[in-house]
Amino acid sequence: MSRLPNRRALLLGASANAAAAMLGGCDRLGNAEWFQRTLKTGEDANLFVQRLLLGKATLAPEYAEADISPWFKPNGTEDPPDKAYKALAKGKFAKYHLVVGGLVEAPLKLSLAELRQLPARTQITRHDCVEGWSAIGKWTGVPVAELLDLAKLKPQARYVVFHCADTMDQGSSLEGGEDDGEADEVPAGNANPSMTKQSGGDESKKDSGGQQAADDDAASGGTPVRFYESIDLVDAFHPQTILAYEMNGEALPVSNGAPLRLRVERNLGYKQAKYVMRIEVVESFANIGEGKGGYWEDQGYAWYAGI
Amino acid sequence: MFRHPLVIRVTHWVNAVCLLVLLMSGLQIFNAHPALYWGKVSTFDAPLLAMSSTEDDPPKGVTTVLGRTFDTNGVLGSSTGADGEAADRGFPAWATLPSDQDLTGGRSWHFFFAWTFVLNGLAYLLYGLVSGQLRFRVIPSRDQIRHFGASIWKHLTLRFPQGDEAKRYNVIQKLTYLVVLFVLLPVQVLAGLAMSPAMDAAFPFLLTLFDGRQSARTVHFVVAALLVLFVVVHVVLILLSGFRNKMRGMLTGWFVIERKVEPAVSAGGEPRS
Ligand code: HEM
């Protein structure tokens, strides 16, 4: 009888060690370049298969007024620290202009009043954060398709890049932890409101390209890294893809991306760029930011955010 | 006796790896917002379940379930990582993949292994259907249904079948596998898909099925817990009923039938594989 517990203890100990070694091994694997690329094929498959399953105009579910969340949780940047933005906000965005350029025949520069005169779409949709939570809001804005038709795409056009007003990276601003995410998504750290203390921000920064970005900045004389995102033409011409200037029937609040934010339904929240200043139509985003197509993509998130 | 054909053995172990990775990477994802809700959206101040840390110094990890708060310090809500420092996190580092807080890493693992899991599962089902293995393995035969009560009693007293009866799964085993294979695993996949905004556009019935995206997330979490329960019982029973023989069965296909004591409950009716 006395042999049994011993063997059991031994087995248990061995299993615990093996488990720890396995987890360590997986972490090391997960950090290896080739393995990361292998894992990412899962996310490539998501894009491929979901594009097959979804029609060009398949709409994201729309909801009733009664479903609107009483509080639409702002996430990421809630108050851009940038001077230029603060000045615009102070003047109630009267001096704001949306610039549309890149691979277009007729570049545009539109004030908020002009944007409001274009055809508009209103939709009540669900916003799903990559962290896991959801909220429903009502958005009114101009369809991106409308703008692209006005500007007339050149034949090489493949992606639409949204450049935003808010600075993301710059050593100190990141360490604050709270205000450093963008769009409605702060992956990793800033999870549950009650989990938002210390560590998270630093950790996500360490894991991501944050440190490297900061180093690059130092080398290049400290150009601030501003938020940006990109979508392809399938999403850009989707009927529910709008640049919203109203939320829940009122002017878009600063915390939710005033004066203009992207709504690209059928995608997770980190695609929903806030504080949009400029639209650039490109053939490839390889030369923008760190080349992955968006601020969060540069930190390792998938470019396609349909799941 | 030759018990497990190669395809079943391979898909079994691939599945085991997938489930472990999916569980641990899932807990990593869960940690990004360690709270669950019911319905379409998150009701932030009224979660069904939430893990968090208190304002105390040092903070204490607590878990709130249906409004009742439990002290789960050191494991849920706040735990010590590899660096030896206490950190606010839902599940502890040893339960998540990657072990550090890394949502995007967790998502990459989760989706890669979700694909592997689904393709592997389809291969198993296809083989099982075509070969007749599936029917033989998991559909209780008439005599087994007749002796349901007796079988339960034997189970409760941990008397494992021997002789001919050990060649097939008993009725409780069959029903359990049936539920896992055709209820839990498919529900888990559907709930995973229901959390995808793109899938919801393509197949809005997913939302109806689960009563909203946040409920789908909760169902996904609960079913993951049920799968853990299944695996624990599965492994314990294998340990209790002859670890070596069963492992040999699943690794090489060969399984020893001991012929002694009480004869099998019934002598047949089962096709032999
Ligand atoms: C094809 C199969 C699967 C798909 C498509 C899938 C998809 C997902 C998705 C999208 C999430 C993120 C949820 C969020 O935003 O918070 C998630 C989380 C999670 N998954 Fe899966 N999953 C699958 C299979 C599994 C399996 C088999 C397990 C368990 C063994 C599992 C365990 C978890 C857990 C524990 C979480 C975190 C908690 C939660 O959000 O419910 N998943 N999964």
Side-chain angles (χ1 to χ4, degrees):
Chain A
M1 210 43 219
S2 71
R3 244 189 78 211
L4 220 63
N6 269 341
R7 207 167 70 168
R8 238 175 241 167
L10 226 105
L11 261 175
L12 265 181
S15 323
N17 278 337
M22 244 166 57
L23 190 53
C26 285
D27 279 349
R28 244 168 293 129
L29 253 184
N31 288 332
E33 177 83 18
W34 68 269
F35 191 77
Q36 275 180 4
R37 238 178 295 124
T38 308
L39 280 188
K40 295 263 180 220
T41 55
E43 286 168 317
D44 296 344
N46 293 348
L47 167 63
F48 183 77
V49 171
Q50 293 200 335
R51 278 288 150 84
L52 282 180
L53 290 176
L54 267 75
K56 276 200 164 131
T58 309
L59 295 185
E62 296 197 11
Y63 294 84
E65 296 269 346
D67 293 324
I68 294 176
S69 298
W71 178 61
F72 197 95
K73 179 175 157 78
N75 204 1
T77 308
E78 291 176 31
D79 190 10
D82 306 69
K83 281 208 190 89
Y85 178 85
K86 284 198 186 304
L88 279 178
K90 216 167 166 197
K92 296 228 153 66
F93 301 103
K95 297 224 173 82
Y96 170 87
H97 288 278
L98 173 72
V99 175
V100 183
L103 297 174
V104 297
E105 307 286 354
L108 305 172
K109 194 174 176 196
L110 299 163
S111 69
L112 264 188
E114 288 167 324
L115 285 167
R116 281 174 175 273
Q117 266 153 30
L118 292 173
R121 190 180 201 280
T122 296
Q123 61 207 32
I124 303 176
T125 51
R126 197 188 66 228
H127 176 102
D128 300 324
C129 178
V130 70
E131 293 165 357
W133 52 267
S134 310
I136 291 177
K138 176 163 122 178
W139 308 97
T140 301
V142 53
V144 170
E146 202 70 44
L147 297 172
L148 297 181
D149 284 341
L150 277 178
K152 296 196 192 67
L153 297 189
K154 291 190 174 165
Q156 317 90 292
R158 285 204 54 205
Y159 297 97
V160 180
V161 182
F162 299 85
H163 295 279
C164 304
D166 50 326
T167 295
M168 305 299 294
D169 277 344
Q170 237 15 279
S172 59
S173 80
L174 249 186
E175 251 116 63
E178 206 88 314
D179 278 341
D180 47 79
E182 155 75 7
D184 268 7
E185 308 309 335
V186 185
N190 297 4
N192 188 338
S194 53
M195 296 286 292
T196 315
K197 282 169 277 174
Q198 0 102 335
S199 64
D202 304 341
E203 260 170 35
S204 66
K205 195 186 155 215
K206 185 188 72 206
D207 296 342
S208 59
Q211 190 56 49
Q212 192 195 333
D215 292 347
D216 292 352
D217 293 345
S220 64
T223 346
V225 175
R226 295 222 159 81
F227 192 85
Y228 75 103
E229 254 306 338
S230 64
I231 58 180
D232 63 9
L233 296 186
V234 174
D235 271 333
F237 281 95
H238 186 260
Q240 284 171 322
T241 300
I242 63 175
L243 280 167
Y245 39 71
E246 271 180 23
M247 179 177 105
N248 298 341
E250 285 166 33
L252 190 61
V254 165
S255 58
N256 295 99
L260 210 56
R261 84 169 297 173
L262 180 63
R263 292 303 311 170
V264 46
E265 314 298 350
R266 316 193 297 180
N267 281 277
L268 294 178
Y270 66 90
K271 286 303 235 191
Q272 327 285 342
K274 291 154 73 168
Y275 317 109
V276 175
M277 302 298 287
R278 180 163 67 90
I279 297 179
E280 184 188 7
V281 180
V282 297
E283 191 177 354
S284 147
F285 45 68
N287 293 322
I288 301 174
E290 290 182 40
K292 303 279 168 54
Y295 175 77
W296 285 116
E297 286 82 340
D298 287 340
Q299 324 292 310
Y301 284 79
W303 176 81
Y304 178 67
I307 181 162
Chain B
M1 177 193 121
F2 190 70
R3 181 166 189 158
H4 299 299
L6 180 68
V7 178
I8 299 236
R9 278 178 282 141
V10 171
T11 49
H12 171 267
W13 291 113
V14 171
N15 190 53
V17 172
C18 286
L19 285 185
L20 185 66
V21 171
L22 283 166
L23 175 71
M24 294 178 65
S25 57
L27 297 181
Q28 167 69 251
I29 299 175
F30 173 85
N31 274 1
H33 184 78
L36 298 172
Y37 315 90
W38 198 264
K40 305 178 177 101
V41 294
S42 307
T43 45
F44 294 102
D45 38 12
L48 292 179
L49 176 150
M51 298 172 190
S52 56
S53 69
T54 57
E55 300 294 327
D56 304 324
D57 186 28
K60 259 190 5 209
V62 292
T63 303
T64 306
V65 185
L66 301 172
R68 296 219 274 151
T69 301
F70 303 91
D71 179 351
T72 51
N73 195 31
V75 186
L76 307 177
S78 174
S79 51
T80 323
D83 56 3
E85 297 207 21
D88 297 351
R89 40 185 301 151
F91 283 88
W94 54 260
T96 68
L97 185 65
S99 51
D100 281 341
Q101 191 84 5
D102 177 6
L103 174 57
T104 173
R107 284 169 54 84
S108 295
W109 281 95
H110 207 75
F111 295 135
F112 183 86
F113 280 86
W115 279 110
T116 314
F117 164 79
V118 166
L119 295 177
N120 183 63
L122 290 176
Y124 169 86
L125 284 182
L126 197 72
Y127 173 82
L129 285 174
V130 171
S131 67
Q133 282 281 338
L134 200 59
R135 199 163 154 268
F136 163 63
R137 280 165 184 264
V138 300
I139 310 290
S141 59
R142 223 169 287 147
D143 70 288
Q144 285 184 314
I145 294 172
R146 239 179 295 125
H147 296 104
F148 193 53
S151 184
I152 291 196
W153 177 244
K154 281 200 177 170
H155 239 71
L156 288 178
T157 50
L158 290 178
R159 278 183 289 149
F160 296 102
Q162 284 160 326
D164 276 343
E165 192 53 25
K167 290 182 184 170
R168 60 175 181 179
Y169 293 147
N170 66 57
V171 65
I172 301 172
Q173 250 175 320
K174 285 187 174 182
L175 290 178
T176 311
Y177 288 144
L178 213 58
V179 168
V180 171
L181 271 175
F182 296 106
V183 181
L184 292 190
L185 293 178
V187 165
Q188 189 68 342
V189 173
L190 289 176
L193 294 177
M195 288 185 275
S196 153
M199 294 307 281
D200 290 345
F203 307 109
F205 77 87
L206 286 170
L207 293 171
T208 321
L209 190 64
F210 292 104
D211 197 27
R213 182 185 191 252
Q214 287 302 316
S215 340
R217 188 167 179 253
T218 299
V219 169
H220 200 69
F221 187 86
V222 170
V223 172
L226 292 176
L227 288 172
V228 171
L229 183 70
F230 163 72
V231 172
V232 168
V233 172
H234 179 73
V235 171
V236 165
L237 285 177
I238 283 169
L239 288 175
L240 288 178
S241 68
F243 179 69
R244 277 161 174 268
N245 195 23
K246 296 269 156 72
M247 278 307 267
R248 188 189 313 118
M250 234 343 146
L251 288 169
T252 67
W254 291 96
F255 184 77
V256 176
I257 301 288
E258 282 178 34
R259 301 205 174 264
K260 49 178 181 187
V261 283
E262 35 172 333
V265 178
S266 131
E270 286 293 60
R272 294 286 125 84
S273 60

